[in-house]
Amino acid sequence: DWYNAENFAVSVTASDADGIASVTYTTDEAEPQTGSVTLSGGTGSITGLHEGNYNLTVTATDNSGNTTQQTLAIKLDCTLPVIEDWWNDPMPQSNYMQVTVEATDENSGIAEIHYQTNDMDSYGVATPNGVTNEYVFGLYEAYQGTIALWAVDNAGNVTFLQGSEITVDTTPPAIDVVYSQEPNEFGWNNEDITLTVTVKDEGISQGL
């Protein structure tokens, strides 16, 4: 599991009938973090560890030179995820708006991208779209207003993006065609005709 506490600490307890001479620690990173632990009543703590995913090995040495080691996995992420960008693409044949969100997290990775319209009629969790760092969701109801986006990483850090404007128009325009002269019973005309085409859009965007 990942941790996101900025005051993250590893508690160390060591005891020996011969007495503890020292407690040290190191990590298996390319540039290891190393140090010693001061015990008080047999207990101490390791603080100031870097963010990342690595193993921490603690070594206790008694006054006779005997050693014991214990290794534990450290997954520490205190950095907020980043919503890099977002955009929308109308899907005219399906009458909905697809929204794509680009988000990154340098340590634990993105867990979920949430969205919610201001009227709270549309909300949910976006799904990965197969492109690195991109997540998509659809808005299927007519809507004009703001939409809130927030990213959650695997350590529980949350970044909010509020007040982004969006318009979703799910009503297709209407087309009306009028002939200047109706065809005969066989569907033919024997002289020039004029077609009058009227197009109207009564959707929320009110425009063509």
Side-chain angles (χ1 to χ4, degrees):
D1 293 338
W2 284 88
Y3 296 90
N4 65 3
E6 293 186 359
N7 58 349
F8 177 82
V10 176
S11 179
V12 178
T13 300
S15 62
D16 187 271
D18 195 31
I20 297 296
S22 66
V23 176
T24 60
Y25 66 88
T26 185
T27 65
D28 62 356
E29 300 166 285
E31 296 183 6
Q33 305 173 66
T34 61
S36 60
V37 181
T38 300
L39 298 180
S40 177
T43 301
S45 62
I46 301 171
T47 60
L49 292 173
H50 302 162
E51 294 182 70
N53 183 1
Y54 49 86
N55 291 314
L56 172 73
T57 298
V58 181
T59 302
T61 304
D62 68 16
N63 289 317
S64 297
N66 301 303
T67 62
T68 297
Q69 288 188 333
Q70 184 170 340
T71 299
L72 64 157
I74 300 295
K75 292 184 174 181
L76 183 59
D77 179 6
C78 303
T79 302
L80 297 178
V82 178
I83 298 178
E84 305 280 358
D85 196 9
W86 74 277
W87 59 92
N88 56 78
D89 299 299
M91 298 294 169
Q93 303 305 317
S94 303
N95 292 337
Y96 78 96
M97 180 76 75
Q98 177 176 286
V99 180
T100 302
V101 181
E102 181 183 359
T104 59
D105 185 82
E106 64 182 36
N107 287 317
S108 61
I110 297 293
E112 292 180 331
I113 302 295
H114 294 255
Y115 66 91
Q116 180 177 289
T117 54
N118 191 50
D119 60 8
M120 299 184 67
D121 284 346
S122 297
Y123 56 90
V125 178
T127 58
N129 72 346
V131 178
T132 303
N133 300 327
E134 290 187 5
Y135 304 81
V136 297
F137 60 90
L139 297 175
Y140 297 86
E141 302 292 333
Y143 176 73
Q144 188 170 39
T146 60
I147 186 169
L149 303 170
W150 62 99
V152 184
D153 68 17
N154 286 299
N157 300 300
V158 182
T159 292
F160 289 91
L161 178 63
Q162 297 281 0
S164 303
E165 292 288 336
I166 194 169
T167 298
V168 182
D169 185 352
T170 59
T171 303
I175 301 177
D176 184 39
V177 180
V178 177
Y179 295 84
S180 61
Q181 178 181 319
E182 294 295 325
N184 62 23
E185 59 185 301
F186 302 104
W188 288 88
N189 290 91
N190 59 7
E191 59 184 62
D192 293 340
I193 62 172
T194 300
L195 300 180
T196 302
V197 180
T198 303
V199 181
K200 295 189 299 182
D201 181 37
E202 297 181 350
I204 196 169
S205 60
Q206 293 288 307
L208 299 173

